[in-house]
Structures are given as C-alpha cells and as structure tokens.
Amino acid sequence: MKKILIVFLITLSISLSSFVTHKFYVSVTQIDYNEEEHSLQIISRIFIDDIEDLLIERYDESIRIDKSEENPKVDEYLKKYFDQKLVLQVNKREVSFVFIGKEYEDDLVICYLEVENIHSLESLKVSNEILMDLFEEQQNIVHVKKENQRKSLILEKGKSNGLLKF
C-alpha cells in the first residue's frame, strides 16, 4: 500500500509541475478608418502591469500606475513611448498621431490616438514595437477596419511590421 501511495504522489507531483503558469505578453490595437471625419481612430489595449514595468525601466523608477491616484507623468511617458514604438504609413506616407488620452478597464490601460487628415485609405503599413524591447515573447495584434472590411496582423519581435491593402 505504501508503494502505491508513493508512486501516486510522485506521479502527481510530476504532473502538476508540468502546469507551471506562463506569462502571456500581448497588446491589441484597433484602427478604424472614419471616412466622414477623415481620420484613423486608434484604440490600444495593454496590460497595466506590463506597461508599468516598461515605464519604470525606461523613464522613472518611482512611477506607478494607480487607477485611484492619477500621476500626470504617465500620459507624458505613454505619449513619448507610443511616438517611438508605433509608426504608421498611410498610402506609403508616414503619418503622425495625436495621443488623446487613456482610461483603465480592469487590468488594462486603454490608450486613444488619432491620425487626422486621412482622405483615403488604400494601404496601411503598421510598425508596432510596443513592449517588444522589454518582453521577448511580446505579440501585438492589430485589427484594422475600413467600412465593412476587416484585416488583422500579428506582430512580434523580428516581424514587427506589416502592410495591409484595401
């Protein structure tokens, strides 16, 4: 009986050790072409703890993202980081975006951006290296919508840009 119990416990411990949790690094960015407003409206969702780790490492060791106590430096750092890591080309022409702001939802920070004066959208080249400089396994999913067309990209380190044609 003792042998059976020992074998069972060893088997159980080996089985449970194979279920070690693995952190999943992902962001999701939605880009909608608004023909009436001649703009690209961008919403980027990033896990709060991941972006906080990045802001601490890159800009300010004392920075904390706290939903109840807003730090004005967070917007400044987010804008600066997005300017460096998110690059858009519309119809083969690089465009710049305006960082509108952010809000929090559960464990996500949701960032709002906009590119103005886009009168047509024939092609969109997206380079999204958000968090790739901190996390090797980072994947950035990009969904683009123009009227009733939807296209997507999965970007990762080594393949951080993609071209979509409409």
Side-chain angles (χ1 to χ4, degrees):
M1 185 68 175
K2 278 186 175 181
K3 275 186 166 180
I4 293 173
L5 183 60
I6 291 172
V7 170
F8 174 75
L9 290 175
I10 291 172
T11 305
L12 181 64
S13 66
I14 291 171
S15 297
L16 290 177
S17 68
S18 66
F19 290 104
V20 175
T21 59
H22 174 68
K23 181 90 165 112
F24 187 63
Y25 299 102
V26 68
S27 77
V28 178
T29 299
Q30 174 70 43
I31 302 173
D32 291 334
Y33 175 59
N34 187 322
E35 193 171 14
E36 290 176 9
E37 295 186 25
H38 304 291
S39 68
L40 294 178
Q41 298 169 345
I42 304 164
I43 300 171
S44 190
R45 292 172 170 82
I46 305 167
F47 287 105
I48 291 173
D49 58 336
D50 295 342
I51 197 70
E52 183 180 69
D53 289 347
L54 181 118
L55 297 180
I56 289 169
E57 183 171 304
R58 202 168 234 262
Y59 300 113
D60 184 348
E61 290 180 3
S62 67
I63 196 86
R64 297 291 176 263
I65 297 178
D66 186 348
K67 298 180 208 180
S68 61
E69 188 178 320
E70 188 59 41
N71 183 333
K73 288 282 194 185
V74 171
D75 280 5
E76 176 186 331
Y77 294 146
L78 286 173
K79 179 190 179 326
K80 187 175 183 178
Y81 188 69
F82 269 87
D83 284 342
Q84 295 169 355
K85 298 298 180 177
L86 182 65
V87 179
L88 305 172
Q89 288 183 8
V90 175
N91 307 329
K92 299 182 181 178
R93 180 180 59 92
E94 191 169 314
V95 296
S96 56
F97 53 81
V98 175
F99 183 87
I100 296 171
K102 65 162 176 9
E103 66 180 348
Y104 303 108
E105 182 178 288
D106 300 322
D107 57 350
L108 297 172
V109 61
I110 303 171
C111 298
Y112 299 96
L113 310 124
E114 184 174 36
V115 179
E116 299 176 318
N117 298 316
I118 305 297
H119 296 283
S120 71
L121 180 62
E122 306 305 319
S123 68
L124 178 63
K125 183 175 182 181
V126 178
S127 175
N128 184 343
E129 296 180 340
I130 301 291
L131 296 175
M132 288 183 188
D133 49 343
L134 189 62
F135 304 115
E136 287 289 322
E137 306 86 12
Q138 179 69 31
Q139 289 187 328
N140 296 325
I141 300 168
V142 180
H143 300 294
V144 181
K145 182 180 171 197
K146 176 188 177 188
E147 298 165 349
N148 60 353
Q149 297 178 66
R150 293 176 191 262
K151 298 187 179 210
S152 297
L153 298 166
I154 297 177
L155 306 174
E156 56 194 15
K157 198 162 198 152
K159 188 191 175 286
S160 60
N161 61 62
L163 176 65
L164 299 172
K165 294 184 179 185
F166 294 92

